[in-house]
Amino acid sequence: MPRMYKVLGFWTGIIAVMAYLGHMEEMALLFLGQTIMFVSLSYLNLSERMYIYIFGAYLTVFFVGFTYWTTFMMTPGAGGH
């Protein structure tokens, strides 16, 4: 299970680099933070159950934040930058 957290850290790191190169600095910082979190957690050598609990909590926070953002912060029909 710790290896899967390193894999998650790798892919979030790749996304952070691509976001930075695409001039999306806020997204890059968000994914850099996730990268640091995943890689740090992978070195704790927790039990598999604890890794699953942490990942479940991570997904819950993500889905609540994503739902809030898409419901209340995105303006429908605002296509121009």
Side-chain angles (χ1 to χ4, degrees):
M1 190 60 76
R3 280 196 242 160
M4 289 312 300
Y5 270 70
K6 289 177 185 170
V7 169
L8 286 169
F10 171 78
W11 285 113
T12 54
I14 294 295
I15 293 170
V17 169
M18 289 191 302
Y20 181 74
L21 293 175
H23 305 291
M24 295 181 276
E25 286 80 16
E26 295 87 4
M27 181 179 164
L29 286 174
L30 179 66
F31 275 86
L32 180 64
Q34 291 180 38
T35 300
I36 292 168
M37 179 195 70
F38 283 135
V39 172
S40 299
L41 284 171
S42 73
Y43 285 106
L44 291 180
N45 291 326
L46 303 170
S47 68
E48 187 169 344
R49 179 177 291 197
M50 188 53 110
Y51 278 121
I52 295 296
Y53 286 156
I54 290 170
F55 190 67
Y58 165 77
L59 287 180
T60 302
V61 169
F62 169 78
F63 286 132
V64 167
F66 182 77
T67 303
Y68 173 81
W69 183 264
T70 56
T71 303
F72 299 111
M73 304 301 284
M74 292 180 71
T75 306
H81 291 104

